[in-house]
Amino acid sequence: MLPLRRMITVEPVIFFYMTSTFIMQPAYQNLVMDKVCQELYKDTSICSDSRQREIEEIESRSSYILLLYTAMTSLVSIPPAIMLGSWSDHAGRRSVMILPFILSLLSGGVLLAMVLVQSLSVYWCLLAAAFIGLTGGHVSIFLSSFSFLADITVESSRTLRMAIAESMIFVGGMVGFLLGGFLEQEVGLAAAFGAYIACHVLAILYILLWLQDPRPINSPLNFLSTENERQESGAFILKYARLSFRAVFKRRPGQDRLKLHLLILCTFINNLVSIGDNSVLLLYLMYEPREFTTAMFGVFNSARMFLLGVGLLGLFPLLMHCFKEMTLAKLSIVFRVASYVLLAFSTNTLMVCWVAIIGMPGGITQAVIRSLSSAIVGPDEQGAMFSFSASVEATCILIAATIFNGLYPLTLPTFPGMPFIIMATFSIIVFILMQWISEMPTTQPRLMLQD
């Protein structure tokens, strides 16, 4: 039997980060809408009425402010995402894992100040975005967490461990949306941002007191260990960025290099879709004829995340006894496409609820992609590979925001669901790429679970 510290590792880290993220996401979107309304109308009575806030001018301007916020998060996070994974191969996973939580505390402080000080402009949210991006944000959490799992697992159990960790994204999302929706509705935005800050404090304590680096490491500051590196400005970034690129582009047996590139492309498109979903979903559901309240939005997203988590924790392990993981990954994409098409044409609450049910297996694909990618590279390249993948994810934040936040105001008068049709189209592209990958010869066999 595995020691407890090998059984429970990075799962709570991902849980705390995603819980805080999904508490903050609708909260900062509502904060932006409040600030925009106040700047446009200078009338608190108008801005306190959620129906008045649904007018097209507020929706459109808020969407563009959110585009700037996401662009800031993306641009600032790209350099850290490129270097931190390969640095973690030498300095340890915990060092990289804890950095995003520390700066996220500052981000939470800025957003909380915006709530408490009404005179602060809506553009202060860009400072909060910069703090999140400086250490890579969620991509740094993912690259350090999945590298940690790759270090402590063997290939036969890696896919399931990756799936369990991936499920924490959705379990955290469920808790975050429920808690965030309740706090915003019953207490206010200040309480939501306070809970956001509390999640980061708990995560920092967990990393410091519970997690142990899986491999012997040098000092976390080993990048300053030589006189030459102390004298050369930028040597640290260039050294670890080079290692990340080398891990992805080096020659490998058979078609493994091409397979790795296609898997990273699938990760990019999946994140493009997920970020686009998060960017416009609140605006879309609050607009007529759906007219969701903040509490309804929180309940819907909580149910959606819960079902995605159940798909990974319960359904996926059972199905792996009967089907190959690649088959399950492709079936997952089919259900995801169907859910987005239905969401695009949803006109009432019942149709939106069916979206969550149909999309239940949608998280399986990315868990399989992470496991396959990890199996291709060596033990000393896990962080570097996930770092490159994370930098691609950071880039797609900006692209997704440009596509979906830019498209939504344009289609609002005619067909508001068009962004979700685009998401379904991107998911079909992932299906085609996964089919291509499945037809490549495998260097190492991938096994189904046996009873």
Side-chain angles (χ1 to χ4, degrees):
M1 183 176 177
L2 289 174
L4 188 59
R5 285 194 172 186
R6 291 279 174 163
M7 293 176 62
I8 303 174
T9 55
V10 297
E11 294 84 4
V13 175
I14 299 175
F15 171 79
F16 282 127
Y17 193 85
M18 298 315 297
T19 298
S20 70
T21 298
F22 287 108
I23 288 173
M24 188 263 283
Q25 196 166 65
Y28 90 78
Q29 290 180 358
N30 276 314
L31 176 61
V32 167
M33 294 178 74
D34 284 345
K35 290 288 185 180
V36 168
C37 183
Q38 290 169 14
E39 291 178 5
L40 287 175
Y41 296 100
K42 312 294 184 183
D43 188 342
T44 57
S45 63
I46 293 178
C47 299
S48 61
D49 186 345
S50 60
R51 292 185 180 181
Q52 292 289 339
R53 285 171 39 188
E54 292 170 8
I55 61 179
E56 190 173 322
E57 184 179 10
I58 296 175
E59 288 254 337
S60 298
R61 185 173 174 187
S62 296
S63 182
Y64 286 117
I65 298 288
L66 296 174
L67 170 61
L68 292 176
Y69 179 96
T70 309
M72 176 67 73
T73 304
S74 173
L75 292 174
V76 174
S77 66
I78 291 173
I82 291 175
M83 71 176 189
L84 286 175
S86 52
W87 178 43
S88 74
D89 286 331
H90 301 83
R93 309 302 183 196
R94 291 200 314 162
S95 303
V96 171
M97 204 176 292
I98 203 169
L99 288 176
F101 289 106
I102 294 174
L103 282 191
S104 291
L105 289 176
L106 299 178
S107 174
V110 172
L111 294 171
L112 184 59
M114 289 178 65
V115 175
L116 299 177
V117 183
Q118 291 190 357
S119 60
L120 287 179
S121 167
V122 65
Y123 292 101
W124 275 93
C125 71
L126 300 182
L127 178 61
F131 282 137
I132 293 173
L134 279 173
T135 51
H138 74 281
V139 291
S140 292
I141 296 295
F142 289 168
L143 75 87
S144 57
S145 297
F146 289 112
S147 298
F148 189 106
L149 284 177
D151 290 338
I152 65 171
T153 57
V154 295
E155 188 174 344
S156 60
S157 64
R158 185 171 299 158
T159 300
L160 279 180
R161 290 298 300 270
M162 295 278 186
I164 292 171
E166 190 88 17
S167 72
M168 291 299 105
I169 297 173
F170 306 117
V171 175
M174 176 194 70
V175 175
F177 272 122
L178 274 178
L179 182 58
F182 171 79
L183 290 174
E184 287 178 54
Q185 194 83 2
E186 302 298 328
V187 185
L189 287 174
F193 290 124
Y196 169 80
I197 293 171
C199 285
H200 291 291
V201 172
L202 290 173
I204 291 171
L205 293 175
Y206 175 82
I207 294 170
L208 292 175
L209 301 177
W210 180 260
L211 279 188
Q212 296 177 335
D213 276 301
R215 296 184 299 156
I217 60 171
N218 299 321
S219 165
L221 299 178
N222 66 344
F223 58 91
L224 297 176
S225 59
T226 66
E227 187 67 28
N228 186 48
E229 287 180 358
R230 280 196 294 268
Q231 294 176 352
E232 293 183 13
S233 174
F236 167 61
I237 295 177
L238 293 176
K239 172 185 175 181
Y240 291 105
R242 186 167 58 248
L243 289 174
S244 295
F245 279 92
R246 183 185 301 165
V248 172
F249 292 101
K250 67 181 288 188
R251 291 185 180 275
R252 297 186 183 277
Q255 294 182 289
D256 279 0
R257 181 170 65 171
L258 175 59
K259 186 183 298 184
L260 180 60
H261 293 172
L262 292 177
L263 289 167
I264 292 173
L265 179 57
C266 289
T267 296
F268 169 80
I269 298 175
N270 276 338
N271 278 276
L272 197 72
V273 170
S274 297
I275 293 165
D277 184 323
N278 292 331
S279 297
V280 301
L281 186 60
L282 175 64
L283 298 174
Y284 175 73
L285 292 181
M286 292 182 70
Y287 196 68
E288 58 183 13
R290 291 155 298 275
E291 297 183 343
F292 271 44
T293 64
T294 302
M296 289 172 64
F297 178 73
V299 170
F300 165 72
N301 268 299
S302 297
R304 192 184 187 194
M305 293 293 176
F306 173 76
L307 291 173
L308 285 166
V310 169
L312 280 169
L313 284 173
L315 187 62
F316 183 48
L318 289 175
L319 292 177
M320 279 192 70
H321 288 283
C322 307
F323 300 98
K324 293 181 179 179
E325 59 188 28
M326 184 60 81
T327 301
L328 295 176
K330 289 183 283 188
L331 286 174
S332 168
I333 298 170
V334 172
F335 281 96
R336 194 180 196 192
V337 170
S339 70
Y340 279 127
V341 172
L342 178 58
L343 181 58
F345 291 97
S346 294
T347 56
N348 55 57
T349 303
L350 181 61
M351 293 178 72
V352 174
C353 290
W354 273 106
V355 170
I357 296 171
I358 294 173
M360 178 179 174
I364 293 174
T365 305
Q366 192 56 40
V368 173
I369 289 172
R370 294 191 201 278
S371 178
L372 290 170
S373 302
S374 177
I376 292 173
V377 302
D380 294 331
E381 299 173 313
Q382 296 292 334
M385 183 276 294
F386 280 116
S387 182
F388 185 90
S389 182
S391 67
V392 170
E393 292 181 38
T395 305
C396 87
I397 294 174
L398 176 59
I399 298 174
T402 303
I403 294 173
F404 297 109
N405 283 99
L407 179 65
Y408 179 69
L410 300 177
T411 61
L412 193 61
T414 53
F415 181 38
M418 178 56 72
F420 299 103
I421 297 297
I422 303 298
M423 294 175 203
T425 304
F426 282 139
S427 297
I428 292 172
I429 295 173
V430 174
F431 182 92
I432 295 170
L433 293 175
M434 293 297 283
Q435 179 62 34
W436 184 5
I437 294 167
S438 69
E439 294 176 2
M440 294 181 178
T442 55
T443 304
Q444 297 176 345
R446 309 287 300 182
L447 302 177
M448 292 187 298
L449 292 181
Q450 302 296 327
D451 290 325

